[in-house]
Amino acid sequence: MTVTRGEAKSGKSVRNRPPERNNGFSAAMTGTARDSVATVMAQWRRQRPGLALGALGLFLGLAHAYWLTAPRIDRLMAEYRITRGMFDVLTTLRRAGNPYALNPKQLAQSLLLSGAGLTGRLDQLELHKLIVRLQDPSDGRALKIRLTRKGLRLVDRILPRLIELETGFACGLRAADVSHLTRLLDLLARSVHSVDQPGQR
């Protein structure tokens, strides 16, 4: 979830903003979040028996998992008056290590954001005094984005709660299943990236 420049300038709280939904799949394609992947796939096989469904089931599963978990994660973030998009910026800086600073290009690449998309998040984070924009000492024309002490404390407060929440979501899986699925999803991400960057395949 991103924050608009208008909200950043006005100081409007993000707490009551509804969760954004990924429109990569329309309701007509996926059914509702209550439908299992197997149900939706069976329906499509009946309606379009000659159509090869390929990886549709995989992406149905990803979409359903997102829609089922996103509202609860959004509510957790809202307790701290931030969004998931803002938290992603904070955690990227946190895992970079002391002094918890990166330039905007590094942040945008890590978060797969455009410059404009990143700017909106940075504006809101700066408004909340969670990050500061500093002149890069090695290049006076460039900027560094650094976590403030307040931002560092906030990440360290939220992260254990998020891990606990996400672990609960995966309670029906064995530890080995979680590890295996994590590796497969990483392979999927690499596959998607290779489609965007065909020269790197």
Side-chain angles (χ1 to χ4, degrees):
M1 183 186 295
T2 58
V3 178
T4 65
R5 286 174 182 255
E7 288 173 330
K9 290 180 179 178
S10 67
K12 183 178 178 182
S13 171
V14 299
R15 186 167 190 166
N16 295 320
R17 291 187 64 193
E20 294 175 0
R21 202 173 202 196
N22 185 332
N23 291 320
F25 285 95
S26 67
M29 281 291 286
T30 63
T32 68
R34 295 180 184 177
D35 295 328
S36 70
V37 173
T39 297
V40 177
M41 294 293 284
Q43 290 170 339
W44 278 119
R45 289 189 183 101
R46 286 195 299 271
Q47 297 303 316
R48 294 293 306 274
L51 179 64
L53 298 179
L56 177 62
L58 168 62
F59 287 93
L60 286 172
L62 290 172
H64 282 193
Y66 174 79
W67 290 338
L68 288 167
T69 58
R72 291 182 61 184
I73 295 174
D74 289 336
R75 286 196 295 271
L76 171 62
M77 299 301 160
E79 290 181 30
Y80 298 92
R81 299 184 179 274
I82 65 171
T83 65
R84 292 179 72 181
M86 293 164 66
F87 185 68
D88 287 343
V89 175
L90 296 177
T91 54
T92 301
L93 292 169
R94 177 66 174 91
R95 60 188 169 83
N98 195 21
Y100 313 113
L102 294 169
N103 64 48
K105 183 178 180 180
Q106 290 171 318
L107 272 174
Q109 288 177 339
S110 180
L111 296 167
L112 303 179
L113 287 173
S114 66
L118 177 62
T119 297
R121 297 185 188 187
L122 296 179
D123 287 346
Q124 191 70 11
L125 289 164
E126 192 169 40
L127 185 68
H128 286 71
K129 300 187 183 336
L130 299 172
I131 59 107
V132 290
R133 290 174 166 106
L134 301 171
Q135 203 169 52
D136 189 337
S138 64
D139 182 352
R141 297 168 299 176
L143 287 176
K144 284 280 191 180
I145 311 302
R146 193 182 73 193
L147 269 181
T148 61
R149 289 184 180 180
K150 180 180 178 182
L152 180 62
R153 288 195 300 268
L154 185 65
V155 173
D156 287 350
R157 191 176 306 129
I158 296 175
L159 187 59
R161 292 190 62 190
L162 178 62
I163 292 171
E164 181 180 14
L165 182 62
E166 292 175 335
T167 300
F169 292 150
C171 65
L173 301 176
R174 299 172 302 171
D177 294 331
V178 172
S179 296
H180 184 53
L181 182 56
T182 300
R183 288 194 296 272
L184 290 177
L185 289 173
D186 185 51
L187 286 174
L188 175 61
R190 293 171 185 269
S191 176
V192 173
H193 181 70
S194 72
V195 172
D196 291 335
Q197 308 288 335
Q200 297 182 20
R201 295 192 72 168

